[in-house]
Amino acid sequence: MSFWDLFIQTIPGYMDAVLATVQITLVGLIIGLVIGLFFAFLKVSNIKILSIIADIYIYIIRGTPLIVQIFILYFGLVEIVDLGRLWAGGIALGVHNGAYVAEIFRGSIQSIDKGQTEAARSLGMPSWLAMRRVVLPQAFRRALPPLGNQLIIALKDSSLVAFIGFQDLFNRAQRLTSSTGLAMENYIIVGIYYLVLVLILTFLVNRLEHRLSKSERGAIS
């Protein structure tokens, strides 16, 4: 079987795998955004113990391999409740992404001029309201480029959930390799699918950045 025959014949199966890959990537990233924002607040907190807790979480997650985290969380969660591979894998990816997202948000929050917060406080705003109305909108815009990069990294990292049996792109390539015996061809094909997804995500993130920067320029003028 030629490469192109294999490519065309496996399109239907890979389309299902593409949807599964995008789904678990989004689940992992959404969970990661929530966790990351929470720990970013702990990092910038004036309460020392909260900052230490955030440092410990980030250090552990960034200092251990993702595949180990996936196995620990997957098999640990299965012992407690049967969430299915999608949610178990998504939570594992979310916990992993959260450490990197926390540092992204922490950096963007701290990059906002403290004078803006002080000005908001002088107008009678409590700290939490100044954070929500003044700091976070600007911090999100500054965090968007690294968050876009983290989304692309999360997409590629999602291939590791194949090792817990989730039927994503990489899992599909493994099963096709077992049935056809064409290892190199199948892994080249799955690489093409990942590349196309990354190109689409890069385009969407760049468009969003352009629109936000355009609206910001319009607001200033």
Side-chain angles (χ1 to χ4, degrees), residues 72-89 91:
I72 290 174
L73 288 170
Y74 173 68
F75 290 109
L77 289 172
V78 166
E79 292 293 328
I80 301 171
V81 58
D82 184 13
L83 293 175
R85 291 184 175 90
L86 170 63
W87 284 105
I91 290 171

Side-chain angles (χ1 to χ4, degrees), residues 31-219:
I31 294 173
L33 286 172
V34 174
I35 293 174
L37 190 57
F38 173 75
F39 279 98
F41 286 145
L42 297 189
K43 283 278 289 183
V44 299
S45 172
N46 293 326
I47 303 174
K48 188 66 175 177
I49 186 63
L50 297 181
S51 180
I52 291 173
I53 291 171
D55 285 335
I56 292 172
Y57 160 71
I58 292 170
Y59 180 79
I60 291 174
I61 296 301
R62 295 177 69 175
T64 55
L66 173 55
I67 188 65
V68 174
Q69 297 165 21
I70 290 173
F71 272 55
I72 290 174
L73 288 170
Y74 173 68
F75 290 109
L77 289 172
V78 166
E79 292 293 328
I80 301 171
V81 58
D82 184 13
L83 293 175
R85 291 184 175 90
L86 170 63
W87 284 105
I91 290 171
L93 291 173
V95 170
H96 179 80
N97 287 322
Y100 295 89
V101 172
E103 285 293 88
I104 291 171
F105 277 132
R106 190 267 311 159
S108 62
I109 289 172
Q110 291 182 335
S111 71
I112 305 302
D113 186 4
K114 291 183 179 180
Q116 296 188 40
T117 303
E118 293 170 359
R121 292 293 304 277
S122 68
L123 294 174
M125 283 189 187
S127 298
W128 66 269
L129 190 59
M131 175 67 72
R132 184 169 69 86
R133 290 187 175 178
V134 178
V135 177
L136 285 183
Q138 299 178 75
F140 176 76
R141 283 194 291 270
R142 295 187 182 186
L144 188 59
L147 283 177
N149 291 334
Q150 187 60 37
L151 174 59
I152 292 170
I153 293 170
L155 171 67
K156 294 185 286 186
D157 284 347
S158 70
S159 61
L160 293 176
V161 298
F163 294 101
I164 60 172
F166 185 73
Q167 297 185 10
D168 69 332
L169 277 169
F170 193 72
N171 180 274
R172 180 67 179 173
Q174 288 180 310
R175 288 187 288 128
L176 283 171
T177 298
S178 298
S179 61
T180 63
L182 301 172
M184 184 179 72
E185 291 86 345
N186 279 299
Y187 290 125
I188 289 175
I189 289 172
V190 79
I192 292 172
Y193 280 103
Y194 276 114
L195 180 60
V196 170
L197 286 175
V198 167
L199 290 173
I200 292 172
L201 287 177
T202 302
F203 172 77
L204 293 175
V205 170
N206 288 340
R207 289 289 297 173
L208 182 58
E209 286 181 39
H210 178 71
R211 290 189 64 177
L212 286 175
S213 63
K214 191 174 181 180
S215 63
E216 189 174 5
R217 288 195 300 269

